[in-house]
């Protein structure tokens, strides 16, 4: 096994450990019920965002280096399109639902 393969396997191990931790903490928080509803939702949202960063960094191997910047831009643009499409759909459906409740 070469040094490059060892480094890559170590990278996957680090990502796996971080992913398990970032999944277990919110799960335990919900299972124990130690915090209020709003605090629990905030922790889940925060850990979800951190989980995305971990996935991109350690599994997709995308960082801020010059070489990988195009890949990162592609992912960010795709994410923007998905958010716009999902947000637009929710907006249209909410407006439709509001209009239907106003009809006699």
């Amino acid at each position: 096994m070469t040094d490059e393969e060892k480094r890559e396997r170590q990278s996957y191990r680090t990502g796996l450990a971080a992913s398990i931790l970032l999944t277990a903490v919110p799960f335990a928080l919900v299972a124990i019920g130690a915090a209020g509803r709003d605090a629990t939702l905030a922790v889940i949202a925060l850990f979800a965002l951190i989980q995305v960063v971990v996935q991109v960094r350690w599994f997709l191997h995308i960082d801020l280096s010059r070489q990988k910047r195009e890949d990162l831009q592609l992912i960010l643009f795709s994410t923007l399109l998905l958010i716009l499409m999902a947000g637009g759909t929710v907006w249209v459906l909410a407006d439709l639902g509001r209009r239907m409740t106003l009809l006699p």
Side-chain angles (χ1 to χ4, degrees), residues 27-45:
F27 184 81
L29 186 63
V30 170
I32 294 170
R37 182 176 187 265
D38 292 338
T40 302
L41 289 176
V43 168
I44 290 172

Side-chain angles (χ1 to χ4, degrees), residues 6-58:
K6 287 180 183 179
R7 273 186 262 126
E8 190 158 336
R9 284 189 185 205
Q10 183 59 37
S11 172
Y12 284 127
R13 284 188 200 108
T14 303
L16 179 64
S19 293
I20 290 171
L21 180 69
L22 290 168
T23 302
V25 169
F27 184 81
L29 186 63
V30 170
I32 294 170
R37 182 176 187 265
D38 292 338
T40 302
L41 289 176
V43 168
I44 290 172
L46 177 68
F47 275 61
L49 288 174
I50 297 170
Q51 180 81 265
V52 169
V53 172
V54 166
Q55 297 290 326
V56 167
R57 171 63 183 96
W58 278 287

Side-chain angles (χ1 to χ4, degrees), residues 60-102:
L60 296 178
H61 301 290
I62 295 176
D63 52 15
L64 296 177
S65 67
R66 190 82 166 153
Q67 186 179 25
K68 304 285 184 166
R69 199 164 291 162
E70 291 176 1
D71 294 337
L72 182 60
Q73 288 174 346
L74 178 64
I75 289 172
L76 291 175
F77 181 70
S78 299
T79 303
L80 175 67
L81 287 178
L82 287 172
I83 288 171
L84 286 174
M85 287 191 304
T89 301
V90 170
W91 182 10
V92 168
L93 289 177
D95 185 57
L96 235 139
R98 184 186 57 81
R99 288 179 184 208
M100 289 184 69
T101 58
L102 294 177

